[in-house]
Amino acid sequence: SPQVAASVLDTLLAASSSPDSAFQVAAVVTQPPAAKNRGRKLLPSAVAQLALERGFPGDLIFTPERAGEESFLSDLKGVKPELCITAAYGNILPQRFLDIPPCGTVNIHPSLLPLYRGAAPVQRALQDGVAETGVSLAYTIRALDAGPVIACERFSVDECIKAPELLAILFNIGSKLLLDELPSVLDGSAKQKAKPQDDSKATLAPKMNSDESWLTFDEEAKVLHNKVRAFAGWPGTRAKLQLMNQNGEPDVLDIKVISTNVSTSCDKVGDENEILFSGNSLLVPCSGSTWLEVLELQLPGKKVTTARDFWNGLRGQKLLKST
């Protein structure tokens, strides 16, 4: 349903329009329109939006609240799909859905299954600081992300990439992998070569929760940096800082931390909870004598700002981390 899934649909529509294509897109299934931003106006999902822009018939864009609704399942049976492809759909697929397409349902999952099964594989992998992840094409069964794997591709993760960017890259790789594998999926040979997952090696990637978005500086800088990368986009990462006012009393600042880095050393000296500034970064003391460099941040109701502009705006007032 989100933008990354729209890119997969775009790839499929483009491939299906070529004269020698072995398939056509029979229907599109996505989440129902949702209220976006402050206007609370109902807007179609990114997938529905893209399908309409590409001239896909509106009556073949299905938006059930749940994929088990009778009217939806009968509409889906009516288009006689041979194969269903899912990418970040966001709804549980009941067995009655999975029984419809004779070639099965194939999911693009942005992890190297059986690692990171669940709703937030990219975010949880970044939070764990992995050096490598990837994308898997797997048959969908009733158990979560547990079906046989048709193919996968590995991807090296650099230390600064954030979740939205990595998600887009992995779904892009996944789309190409899907096109490569479609002939074998449609002729049934993919079912023979697909490898069952080793459930004993499975790890879970539960969905993100806004309660998790707070940073506490009693952890090592690397852990906090990985969390900022993982939570970028939604729900973001927040921290409470203390700004010492003219009376020497602390005012609490609630900031969103946008971009960070890890500094192993700091050539400046301050009190143990004092936040310093060096180069273009705020330097926040963390556990294990490590320092988190904050490069960009956002104050409530304001635009994202650089650490330098934020520091200049303090006019020499002392900044401390909350304890």
Side-chain angles (χ1 to χ4, degrees):
S1 297
Q3 189 56 50
V4 286
S7 72
V8 175
L9 176 61
D10 206 17
T11 302
L12 285 169
L13 288 172
S16 71
S17 65
S18 93
D20 55 352
S21 173
F23 71 93
Q24 285 180 313
V25 178
V28 171
V29 183
T30 184
Q31 295 274 22
K36 299 267 165 58
N37 306 330
R38 293 196 175 89
R40 309 312 288 162
K41 189 177 164 208
L42 286 181
L43 294 173
S45 77
V47 164
Q49 190 66 48
L50 179 112
L52 292 167
E53 284 167 9
R54 294 285 180 273
F56 199 79
D59 60 340
L60 291 174
I61 301 173
F62 303 135
T63 58
E65 290 283 348
R66 284 181 306 283
E69 290 171 15
E70 288 299 337
S71 60
F72 161 63
L73 289 172
S74 96
D75 285 344
L76 188 62
K77 277 185 189 141
V79 298
K80 297 189 169 66
E82 285 175 64
L83 169 69
C84 289
I85 302 292
T86 54
Y89 173 42
N91 267 352
I92 299 289
L93 301 177
Q95 192 60 48
R96 288 180 310 153
F97 176 105
L98 299 175
D99 290 342
I100 293 172
C103 294
T105 294
V106 171
N107 184 40
I108 299 178
H109 186 79
S111 80
L112 297 171
L113 290 169
L115 301 177
Y116 299 107
R117 293 175 177 176
V122 168
Q123 294 92 331
R124 298 302 182 189
L126 286 178
Q127 192 175 3
D128 288 346
V130 300
E132 182 183 63
T133 184
V135 59
S136 304
L137 282 188
Y139 283 106
T140 301
I141 61 174
R142 282 294 289 133
L144 180 71
D145 298 323
V149 175
I150 301 162
C152 66
E153 194 161 320
R154 295 174 177 277
F155 184 79
S156 292
V157 179
D158 81 48
E159 291 183 357
C160 288
I161 196 167
K162 295 178 185 175
E165 194 186 341
L166 184 55
L167 263 169
I169 290 170
L170 292 178
F171 274 103
N172 199 12
I173 295 170
S175 304
K176 294 185 175 73
L177 199 57
L178 174 65
L179 289 183
D180 291 345
E181 297 293 337
L182 262 181
S184 69
V185 173
L186 291 169
D187 72 17
S189 58
K191 273 218 163 72
Q192 267 56 61
K193 72 166 186 174
K195 294 185 173 64
Q197 293 184 40
D198 181 347
D199 290 342
S200 72
K201 293 196 167 78
T203 60
L204 295 180
K207 76 178 192 182
M208 314 300 280
N209 183 332
S210 56
D211 295 346
E212 296 178 81
S213 65
W214 290 100
L215 296 181
T216 55
F217 298 109
D218 53 3
E219 294 181 289
E220 288 204 2
K222 183 91 177 145
V223 172
L224 299 174
H225 172 60
N226 288 338
K227 189 168 180 176
V228 171
R229 298 159 63 214
F231 284 54
W234 191 90
T237 35
R238 296 164 68 192
K240 287 191 187 303
L241 307 180
Q242 293 183 330
L243 184 62
M244 303 308 286
N245 63 26
Q246 274 86 356
N247 305 328
E249 292 160 353
D251 291 330
V252 174
L253 271 186
D254 182 349
I255 65 162
K256 258 192 145 175
V257 179
I258 308 293
S259 296
T260 55
N261 227 323
V262 178
S263 177
T264 44
S265 63
C266 175
D267 54 3
K268 297 202 164 188
V269 181
D271 300 338
E272 64 171 328
N273 292 320
E274 189 175 351
I275 296 171
L276 306 170
F277 183 80
S278 178
N280 287 310
S281 323
L282 296 180
L283 292 171
V284 186
C286 302
S287 165
S289 302
T290 59
W291 295 80
L292 184 71
E293 297 182 15
V294 177
L295 307 167
E296 292 180 306
L297 62 151
Q298 187 174 16
L299 292 165
K302 300 275 196 263
K303 289 185 172 161
V304 174
T305 180
T306 63
R308 177 174 287 284
D309 286 346
F310 169 74
W311 186 260
N312 290 341
L314 297 184
R315 303 178 199 279
Q317 286 172 278
K318 200 173 185 180
L319 194 62
L320 304 174
K321 64 178 187 179
S322 285
T323 51

